[in-house]
Amino acid sequence: MSLRTLLARWYGVAIVGMRRTLARTTHTARQRVRFSVLGVAVAITLLLVVTGIGMGLTGGTTVQDDGIDYWIVPESGGSSSPLVSTDAPQFGSVHETAETVRATEGVDSASPVLSQVLRVTAGDSAEYVLVVGIVNDGGVDQISGVNVTALSHHDHYYNDGEWTGEVALSRSAGATLNVSEGDQLTIAGNTSFAVTSVDGDATTTVGDVPTAVVQLSELQTLTGASAHDSADQFVVGTNDPAVREDLEDVYPSSTVNSRSEMTASQTMDSDLSVALALTAFVVAISIGTLFVVTTMGLELVADRTQLATMSAIGLSGRSQLGIIAVQILATTAIGGIVGAVGGLAGIRLTNEIAMRTLTSEPIAFSHSVFGLYGVVVAVLIGVCSLPVLLLVTRRVTGGVPQ
Amino acid sequence: MAARSGSRTDDSLTPLARAEGVTRRYRRGSEPGRVGRLFGRSTPPDVTALEDVSLTITQKEIVGLAGPSGSGKSTLLHLLAGLELPSEGTVTFQGTDLGSLSTRKRTRLRLEHVGIVFQHFHLLDSLSARGNVALPLVELGVSKSERRHRATELLERVGLEDRVTHRPGELSGGEQQRVAIARALVTDPTLVIADEPTGELDTETGLTVLEQFERVADDRAVVLASHDQPTLDIADRVVRLCDGRIDEEATVRL
């Protein structure tokens, strides 16, 4: 058989498989095929919702906003000098370094960031809040979804100026502590803070993490980080991608991440998020495969007369297996598309329910790539189901059509 | 309905298919397994569908198989088509013993040389009429445009030019059988097997289908089984079966 004939044959097999799938889904075997599609769709929907919530848990503490393009973070294995060894590696002498970074050509804004979860008291309310210290240079309007325009610029307290006691709160922090602009707060026992604003775009963050943003040096004073002038990371705003090379030279044991790299890196660094995503993946593959094997297996047994007919009119076992394989993969892919739509809708619904009942911000992360992820996993479910279903096909085909 | 003009029954013609001393037995029920034997389950009895039947089909002749239900007509057709193998005896096609071929080779032989028309049509309900007719050509690696062309041409020959995109569920019984006939002929087989081709059709539709069947069968060898005398009338000779044996006295040469 020539290559051309072989290609024509397998192309024909694929077309027959696709036509059979579409016709059976919409006309001739709707009930059975739709059941298989539904099984895969449910598995994919659950996968995406759980993965979205897992990523939402990671993203909750991410310092991430539209004005930030690069993050300079310490290498976790770094042992050389500028890194201060605490629970996690930190940068030292960050105020000086921030000035250097800002002076770099192409950099619009730069700030060291120190994050700590601290007890914040307002009147009778006391809550643990994510307190973020920054040096406001006016280049970024929001940090972690908190509007910081009301914070004074350049961290005067570090430059031997007066203690400002300014704190900008996220809406969730304002709601949790029941405070508004002008109210007094106590952060980690220090009573000298006043709320400058309660504002921010909740849609830029996920995870209901009440957040307070203060001047970096004042947070360093509260947490003892002022000894080495330390911070967790730098955030940099720029329109010039060439800046990246300069940023890589700021600290020897550091990594410069772009927006997408930061999201991926933080997701991978978060054990809980990875564990949730992996668990959801394994469960979706297992449940999806078992479901498809069961429903499509029954479908094949019910279809044995048609398989026998194919044998009788001369279709080889290989071609029949090819047709069935295409049918299975197409069915699971359709399930994947339905599941992806369902998953994205499920994430939206989860956020909606959470925001109406428990939180003031979304708890699950959503991205259009999830759709592709859902379809790929669904096809993987099809691939995992293939061996058993092809074995069933071999067992039921042949003989005389009854 | 008369037999095709210029009967081609001629002993000098090369035998196309031959059944020699063929017996076919079926087991009624399944064999007992180890546990079944342990509990004393006996082997189920055999049923003999055909016994010591010999028949030769020469090229270009139409052979009718007549006989009551259960006489073995369908079994003999299945054996000639290589869908089943005999319990005893041999079935040869163009000199090749079908019993010596693997399942794959027998399937290939059917694809290239045998067209089958079933009583219940057995069309694939998820494909259009053209898709059903073109299906065997997929296996042969025929290009898509050629498949469409040949399938459409055959559907036109059986009077279904306005039904090419309809699915079997959207066709009447007569139309479905004509699609099945077109499918049986699309690979240009040397032997056409037809099992009760008009069995599911009313008399008038059956006659129409037969006319078209005879017309499109051209000079191929045809073996058809039927209860129906008008159907058997198109045969060059009729072989009558009774209780799994050929009733020699009733074999008629037309």
Side-chain angles (χ1 to χ4, degrees):
Chain A
M1 191 181 277
S2 72
L3 182 64
R4 192 173 171 170
T5 310
L6 200 67
L7 286 175
R9 175 182 159 195
W10 285 108
Y11 174 69
V13 163
I15 294 289
V16 170
M18 290 299 292
R19 284 203 181 137
R20 268 171 66 82
T21 307
L22 289 177
R24 295 173 81 77
T25 309
T26 55
H27 286 91
T28 53
R30 280 186 291 193
Q31 207 81 344
R32 291 199 301 260
V33 177
R34 282 183 185 179
F35 203 53
S36 303
V37 168
L38 190 70
V40 177
V42 168
I44 298 302
T45 298
L46 291 175
L47 165 75
L48 296 189
V49 171
V50 174
T51 306
I53 292 173
M55 289 188 75
L57 292 174
T58 310
T61 54
T62 307
V63 179
Q64 204 170 75
D65 278 291
D66 291 342
I68 300 169
D69 300 296
Y70 287 107
W71 285 255
I72 308 172
V73 294
E75 282 177 0
S76 26
S79 57
S80 51
S81 59
L83 304 180
V84 177
S85 180
T86 55
D87 287 347
Q90 289 184 317
F91 292 120
S93 306
V94 293
H95 281 85
E96 267 178 49
T97 310
E99 288 299 325
T100 310
V101 174
R102 272 186 216 113
T104 307
E105 195 181 338
V107 171
D108 299 329
S109 67
S111 172
V113 175
L114 177 65
S115 305
Q116 287 278 312
V117 176
L118 298 173
R119 187 177 172 84
V120 178
T121 311
D124 295 336
S125 306
E127 293 290 340
Y128 281 94
V129 171
L130 177 69
V131 184
V132 179
I134 62 159
V135 177
N136 186 13
D137 63 359
V140 178
D141 291 340
Q142 292 200 101
I143 288 286
S144 285
V146 180
N147 189 329
V148 295
T149 49
L151 289 183
S152 52
H153 291 188
H154 304 306
D155 197 1
H156 296 303
Y157 183 65
Y158 175 77
N159 299 311
D160 298 327
E162 287 191 2
W163 180 275
T164 65
E166 294 168 341
V167 54
L169 296 179
S170 67
R171 285 182 182 161
S172 62
T176 306
L177 295 165
N178 195 23
V179 293
S180 55
E181 197 176 321
D183 288 347
Q184 290 292 314
L185 288 182
T186 301
I187 301 177
N190 187 313
T191 58
S192 58
F193 287 91
V195 178
T196 56
S197 67
V198 180
D199 196 10
D201 182 4
T203 59
T204 61
T205 60
V206 290
D208 181 28
V209 181
T211 306
V213 180
V214 298
Q215 300 290 349
L216 174 63
S217 61
E218 294 172 14
L219 180 59
Q220 286 175 329
T221 305
L222 293 179
T223 59
S226 54
H228 296 96
D229 186 17
S230 52
D232 300 319
Q233 58 184 252
F234 281 83
V235 291
V236 179
T238 177
N239 289 317
D240 183 3
V243 162
R244 182 173 184 143
E245 276 185 32
D246 296 325
L247 298 180
E248 281 167 353
D249 295 333
V250 171
Y251 283 102
S253 299
S254 64
T255 307
V256 177
N257 287 328
S258 65
R259 187 178 296 275
S260 57
E261 290 165 345
M262 193 65 185
T263 306
S265 157
Q266 283 180 326
T267 303
M268 292 309 291
D269 286 348
S270 165
D271 292 344
L272 179 62
S273 173
V274 173
L276 269 175
L278 270 178
T279 305
F281 175 78
V282 171
V283 170
I285 291 280
S286 312
I287 299 293
T289 302
L290 287 173
F291 202 92
V292 169
V293 164
T294 308
T295 54
M296 291 294 283
L298 291 171
E299 160 75 0
L300 285 172
V301 172
D303 202 28
R304 62 178 177 272
T305 301
Q306 301 231 325
L307 291 169
T309 303
M310 288 189 208
S311 288
I313 64 173
L315 257 71
S316 65
R318 267 187 208 175
S319 294
Q320 289 179 55
L321 294 181
I323 290 170
I324 296 301
V326 170
Q327 278 183 239
I328 292 163
L329 294 179
T331 304
T332 51
I334 293 170
I337 293 167
V338 176
V341 173
L344 292 173
I347 289 173
R348 203 171 174 147
L349 186 69
T350 305
N351 285 334
E352 192 69 28
I353 292 170
M355 286 167 72
R356 285 190 183 192
T357 55
L358 298 169
T359 71
S360 59
E361 290 176 6
I363 61 165
F365 179 78
S366 179
H367 197 283
S368 52
V369 173
F370 276 21
L372 182 65
Y373 176 55
V375 176
V376 169
V377 174
V379 172
L380 202 56
I381 287 172
V383 171
C384 292
S385 312
L386 276 181
V388 176
L389 293 175
L390 295 184
L391 201 66
V392 172
T393 306
R394 282 184 80 99
R395 292 293 295 262
V396 300
T397 190
V400 181
Q402 299 298 321
Chain B
M1 192 172 294
R4 282 191 284 195
S5 59
S7 170
R8 287 139 311 167
T9 304
D10 182 345
D11 292 340
S12 65
L13 288 173
T14 323
L16 181 65
R18 174 178 285 168
E20 284 181 284
V22 165
T23 297
R24 178 71 174 119
R25 290 188 204 92
Y26 295 101
R27 184 138 290 171
R28 188 179 286 169
S30 58
E31 291 271 355
R34 283 182 188 167
V35 178
R37 273 191 228 111
L38 201 66
F39 284 96
R41 199 182 140 210
S42 57
T43 304
D46 287 342
V47 177
T48 304
L50 275 183
E51 191 161 9
D52 195 23
V53 168
S54 295
L55 177 70
T56 301
I57 312 295
T58 56
Q59 298 196 18
K60 301 181 181 179
E61 75 168 337
I62 298 181
V63 178
L65 296 182
S69 292
S71 60
K73 304 188 293 294
S74 294
T75 303
L76 184 53
L77 288 183
H78 297 157
L79 291 171
L80 289 171
L83 288 172
E84 295 181 64
L85 292 175
S87 308
E88 287 171 26
T90 56
V91 177
T92 55
F93 187 89
Q94 292 181 330
T96 306
D97 180 6
L98 296 185
S100 68
L101 300 179
S102 63
T103 305
R104 191 165 64 87
K105 284 183 177 169
R106 270 187 283 131
T107 306
R108 187 74 190 180
L109 183 139
R110 275 198 302 277
L111 176 72
E112 291 173 348
H113 299 289
V114 184
I116 306 177
V117 180
F118 297 100
Q119 178 181 0
H120 304 298
F121 326 130
H122 288 311
L123 299 176
L124 270 62
D125 54 7
S126 47
L127 297 181
S128 66
R130 183 166 55 201
N132 268 285
V133 175
L135 192 56
L137 299 178
V138 169
E139 184 66 30
L140 289 171
V142 176
S143 69
K144 188 182 175 186
S145 56
E146 179 65 15
R147 289 200 305 265
R148 287 172 73 95
H149 172 71
R150 279 162 71 174
T152 307
E153 191 181 59
L154 266 167
L155 285 168
E156 282 171 5
R157 286 182 68 189
V158 293
L160 292 176
E161 57 275 11
D162 56 342
R163 291 283 191 271
V164 288
T165 57
H166 288 59
R167 288 201 187 88
E170 300 162 338
L171 300 173
S172 67
E175 288 170 334
Q176 288 188 57
Q177 193 60 298
R178 283 187 273 163
V179 173
I181 289 167
R183 181 180 67 184
L185 299 172
V186 75
T187 55
D188 198 16
T190 43
L191 173 65
V192 177
I193 300 283
D195 190 3
E196 303 273 11
T198 58
E200 291 266 306
L201 310 176
D202 61 71
T203 310
E204 195 179 332
T205 311
L207 286 172
T208 311
V209 168
L210 273 177
E211 277 170 15
Q212 280 163 341
F213 182 50
E214 195 182 4
R215 185 158 51 83
V216 296
D218 295 331
D219 285 338
R220 295 177 179 86
V222 177
V223 184
L224 59 89
S226 182
H227 290 103
D228 185 37
Q229 192 54 49
T231 304
L232 295 169
D233 283 347
I234 70 167
D236 298 319
R237 65 184 165 116
V238 175
V239 176
R240 294 197 183 277
L241 288 160
C242 188
D243 295 333
R245 292 171 175 276
I246 289 181
D247 188 352
E248 296 290 350
E249 289 179 15
T251 299
V252 182
R253 279 182 184 275
L254 296 168

